[in-house]
Amino acid sequence: MAKNNNQNQNQTMTREEAGRKGGEKVSRKYDQEHFENIGQKGGETTAQEHDQEFYEEIGQKGGETTSEEYSQEHFEDIGQKGGETTSQEHDQEFYEEIGQKGGETTSNKYGEEHYEKIGKKGGRNSGNGSNNN
């Protein structure tokens, strides 16, 4: 029996090794669809257990962490790349459509009174020499 205990001591693996081996075994046992299904179920359960405020808070934390980890230049670079890619993938009609939708959404959100108010401010500040406003 003492020999058997020595063998076990020599074959002890770390938690990291055991976790890796277990993960590899499970990965071989199940296909991609299985993991997609359990991920879907987990996402649905989480959505039922938490409200919008929860997601806003974790989004805020994630955004703050990300902004601390990366420089302004990084965000400018990825924004530039994204803009270039988008402009290559879409034509003028696409931009007209999203501009139209954005304009309608903004109009519905603020209403006519808002635009009259900013129009008057713009008229006063336009520098056209007119003081009628």
Side-chain angles (χ1 to χ4, degrees), residues 33 43 50 75 121 124 132:
E33 186 178 352
H50 299 284
F75 293 106
K121 286 181 182 179
R124 284 194 299 267
N132 293 339

Side-chain angles (χ1 to χ4, degrees), residues 82-96:
E84 290 170 359
T85 300
T86 301
S87 71
Q88 291 170 1
E89 293 176 355
H90 298 285
D91 60 5
Q92 182 175 347
E93 184 178 325
F94 168 80
Y95 291 102
E96 290 172 359

Side-chain angles (χ1 to χ4, degrees), residues 63-74:
E64 289 171 359
T65 300
T66 301
S67 69
E68 291 169 2
E69 291 179 4
Y70 296 97
S71 68
Q72 176 73 22
E73 184 178 348
H74 166 78

